[in-house]
Amino acid sequence: MNAAITINRTDVDGVPTFWVDTGRPTLSATLVFRAGLMDEPPARSGWLHLLEHVVMTGPEQHGLAVNGSVDLAFTTFDAEGDPAEVCAHLRRITERLAAVPESDLDHERQILAAEERERDASPLDLGLVWRFGAHGPARAVFQGLGLGAADQTGLQELSRRLLTRGNAALILSGPPPAGLSLTLADGPAWPRTELPPMLNATGCYVHNVEGLLLHGVVPRTAAGQVTTMLMGHRLRESLRHRDGMAYSPGTDYLPVSPTRSILVASVDVEFDETQRASATMLSSINDLLLTGPSSEDLRRIVAERERDAVDPYAAFDWAALAARRHLEGLGETGPDQVVDEVRAVQPADVMATVGEFIATSMLGVPDPAVRPAIPLPPLDDPIDPTPAAPTTTHRAVIPLPGSPVVRTIDGGLHVAGKGVGMLFRYADVVACQATPNGTRRLIRGDGTSTEVATDAFHQGDQLRRHIDTGLDPSVVVPVPDPAGEEPVPTRGELGKDVLTALLWIALTVAIVGGLILQRLRPDLISIGTLGVIVAVVALALAVDGIRTWLRRRARTQR
């Protein structure tokens, strides 16, 4: 067997540096910070991603592969190429973190906004919101929501608070080259926090995507990783190789705190096979709970980890693992330690982990009509009762079946419609997207949201002022009106639009009727008289057109 991979440790300008000797002439480098989506409140979600884009902006560097990313817990900047060019790139990145440029801010914000419009919430995203609301790992669902509030001053403060020397690590595929420097501000480490309380520990929800998704909270241990691998193996054996119901059933392991992870089991099954597939999933998992893994199962997983520990192609990944664990305050773990931890896992450890998985299981199904074999209570949208004494009731200007009714109360509002009632106390709102045309999208701490187009209601200005003055300004995010969307007309504006339509009708009747009458009875109306009538109506239309333009201009500037 080859010798285990050696992870070397040094410092570059005070930044802990983890490097492995791959013997390649090129250099791979990752500058990683312990700051991610979980560290951004919803009203500031997307700021780290925007900051990463802004500091990465610049002329294309031919021959140098660069990238940046933000995940739940980390922000990374990657580069691979000639060692001198990699050093120059890292120096430029850290200099721009120290002095965030403003010139590219709006351009990169537009790019990220376009990216967010293309991104749909995944079945796991929805499950995280049911489990944690708008907190902890569920904040990834709201990424990009706060882009409209970002400015150069805020990004600079964010960089100085989180993207600092004390909160960074560097990973290299070779020894640090001469001339490598990192110009980062001083700052403390930013430890990873524990999970927030779960709003729902278990349940079944609808995700509208074909297939099944089962996930639960398990310890972040070697036993948790081994259980994930064993469960994935059993699902593939039963659902693909034996029954042929799925193409790529599998599992994933998502660390979400220093001590907890989300274990995810997914099955890409057609709708008609959903119930049978859920029964097979339940049987496989229960079998692992009741009998545990065989010694051969455990030996196979140990052998996989032993191969990884000496695989030269995995060397950089092992260094990255050591760096990330260092930033999380979990100690520096190398290949030998990981293999030893896996060897120590016993069947009882796996059975206990499966027990915790089942106790916190949440199942996503593609349709409300699915009746899965896994007995979990259904999760439904909350219904809050109508307040006993609303301050003001706002009804839709254009009353249609199911139109919402908004009732303002002291410190909040209640939205009712289509059998749903939601109470939004302003103190519970973690973000509010506000458009110039008066639309307000409010998001509560439990992840529930509502959109109120204030101009669509009677006394819309009063409703908008109630929302805007009641909310903490730090949770309000300005966003542009949706492209091509006209403001919702008020009642008075609807009346004026009717007048405009009547004027057009009058003009048409005057021209057509006058021409017919003039031809049939030229003694009753002359061409001159007809011209005067048409001119008067046309003048009225011109005045109305100017008034409409001024009204829309005022509303877009409001």
Side-chain angles (χ1 to χ4, degrees):
M1 180 179 290
N2 298 328
I5 293 164
T6 299
I7 300 173
N8 303 280
R9 166 71 188 271
T10 186
D11 285 351
V12 174
D13 291 335
V15 176
T17 301
F18 301 79
W19 65 274
V20 288
D21 192 355
T22 60
R24 299 200 307 249
T26 57
L27 179 68
S28 294
T30 295
L31 180 62
V32 57
F33 298 91
R34 218 310 291 147
L37 299 171
M38 288 179 63
D39 303 293
E40 296 182 308
R44 297 294 179 266
S45 180
W47 283 34
L48 278 170
H49 197 181
L50 179 59
L51 178 59
E52 172 253 309
H53 268 237
V54 169
V55 301
M56 289 276 291
T57 301
E60 184 176 350
Q61 297 164 291
H62 298 285
L64 184 67
V66 299
N67 193 25
S69 64
V70 181
D71 62 21
L72 278 178
F74 298 97
T75 297
T76 59
F77 299 92
D78 306 309
E80 181 177 8
D82 179 80
E85 293 183 1
V86 170
C87 291
H89 177 73
L90 292 176
R91 183 166 56 253
R92 181 175 181 273
I93 290 293
T94 55
E95 288 173 351
R96 289 168 73 91
L97 286 174
V100 177
E102 188 174 10
S103 57
D104 301 315
L105 183 59
D106 289 337
H107 177 73
E108 295 303 321
R109 191 202 318 269
Q110 291 176 353
I111 292 175
L112 289 184
E115 179 182 337
E116 290 305 316
R117 287 194 295 270
E118 296 298 318
R119 192 181 69 86
D120 293 323
S122 71
L124 179 59
D125 288 339
L126 297 177
L128 292 176
V129 173
W130 278 113
R131 198 183 288 278
F132 299 110
H135 303 287
R139 285 180 170 173
V141 181
F142 302 97
Q143 60 181 295
L145 189 148
L147 286 173
D151 56 20
Q152 192 270 345
T153 301
L155 294 184
Q156 187 67 75
E157 189 279 330
L158 178 67
S159 179
R160 290 172 180 167
R161 182 166 55 92
L162 293 180
L163 307 190
T164 63
R165 181 178 291 110
N167 201 36
L170 180 64
I171 308 151
L172 299 173
S173 64
L180 176 60
S181 64
L182 303 172
T183 311
L184 292 172
D186 290 326
W190 196 262
R192 197 165 182 177
T193 58
E194 287 295 343
L195 286 179
M198 287 190 283
L199 303 177
N200 296 284
T202 186
C204 181
Y205 63 94
V206 177
H207 56 58
N208 296 319
V209 177
E210 197 168 79
L212 292 170
L213 189 83
L214 186 65
H215 50 94
V217 181
V218 300
R220 185 179 175 181
T221 59
Q225 297 180 49
V226 170
T227 302
T228 303
M229 298 171 72
L230 289 167
M231 195 178 293
H233 175 74
R234 296 202 176 195
L235 291 178
R236 286 188 293 274
E237 283 293 319
S238 58
L239 288 162
R240 174 171 175 157
H241 301 305
R242 187 189 69 197
D243 298 338
M245 281 191 287
Y247 176 71
S248 59
T251 52
D252 198 6
Y253 183 79
L254 180 66
V256 290
S257 85
T259 60
R260 312 297 288 177
S261 292
I262 303 288
L263 196 167
V264 183
S266 58
V267 179
D268 55 329
V269 65
E270 293 187 4
F271 179 81
D272 293 342
E273 296 282 8
T274 301
Q275 186 168 2
R276 191 160 71 101
S278 68
T280 302
M281 288 181 75
L282 179 63
S283 174
S284 299
I285 294 169
N286 277 339
D287 182 61
L288 195 57
L289 171 69
L290 298 174
T291 64
S294 67
S295 56
E296 180 57 32
D297 289 334
L298 294 178
R299 278 197 297 270
R300 186 183 67 252
I301 291 176
V302 170
E304 289 181 20
R305 278 290 185 245
E306 288 175 341
R307 287 194 299 272
D308 293 339
V310 297
D311 182 357
Y313 292 101
F316 192 83
D317 293 334
W318 283 113
L321 174 65
R324 290 180 177 233
R325 286 182 62 88
H326 165 79
L327 289 175
E328 291 186 87
L330 300 177
E332 300 166 15
T333 301
D336 290 337
Q337 294 94 325
V338 170
V339 171
D340 289 341
E341 290 172 359
V342 171
R343 286 196 188 108
V345 173
Q346 299 297 314
D349 301 325
V350 173
M351 295 163 71
T353 301
V354 176
E356 292 199 40
F357 173 79
I358 292 174
T360 58
S361 282
M362 198 167 278
L363 177 68
V365 297
D367 189 272
V370 173
R371 295 291 180 265
I374 302 174
L376 294 173
L379 296 170
D380 296 313
D381 291 326
I383 299 178
D384 301 317
T386 302
T391 304
T392 305
T393 299
H394 300 267
R395 300 186 185 278
V397 172
I398 306 175
L400 298 173
S403 294
V405 176
V406 178
R407 295 176 172 87
T408 57
I409 61 172
D410 186 23
L413 57 82
H414 183 273
V415 182
K418 296 182 180 179
V420 176
M422 296 177 289
L423 177 63
F424 285 78
R425 297 197 179 278
Y426 295 143
D428 297 333
V429 173
V430 295
C432 172
Q433 291 183 307
T435 66
N437 71 8
T439 298
R440 302 292 183 263
R441 181 191 175 210
L442 289 78
I443 301 171
R444 298 191 310 205
D446 65 354
T448 302
S449 66
T450 189
E451 186 169 282
V452 180
T454 59
D455 283 359
F457 292 88
H458 293 292
Q459 300 176 296
D461 288 342
Q462 179 183 342
L463 174 57
R464 182 168 55 253
R465 285 194 299 271
H466 190 279
I467 296 173
D468 292 348
T469 59
L471 289 171
D472 182 340
S474 67
V475 305
V476 178
V477 180
V479 296
D481 292 327
E485 182 174 302
E486 289 289 333
V488 179
T490 63
R491 188 178 188 180
E493 291 166 344
L494 283 174
K496 294 173 183 176
D497 290 340
V498 171
L499 176 61
T500 301
L502 291 175
L503 286 171
W504 276 108
I505 292 172
L507 178 62
T508 303
V509 170
I511 294 173
V512 176
L515 288 173
I516 294 173
L517 186 60
Q518 201 278 333
R519 178 175 289 275
L520 296 177
R521 295 290 302 273
D523 57 313
L524 293 180
I525 185 169
S526 66
I527 291 294
T529 303
L530 178 61
V532 170
I533 295 173
V534 171
V536 170
V537 178
L539 179 61
L541 280 170
V543 171
D544 181 73
I546 294 172
R547 174 191 57 78
T548 300
W549 177 79
L550 290 172
R551 183 185 75 203
R552 290 179 176 175
R553 184 172 183 269
R555 292 182 64 175
T556 56
Q557 293 177 348
R558 183 167 59 206

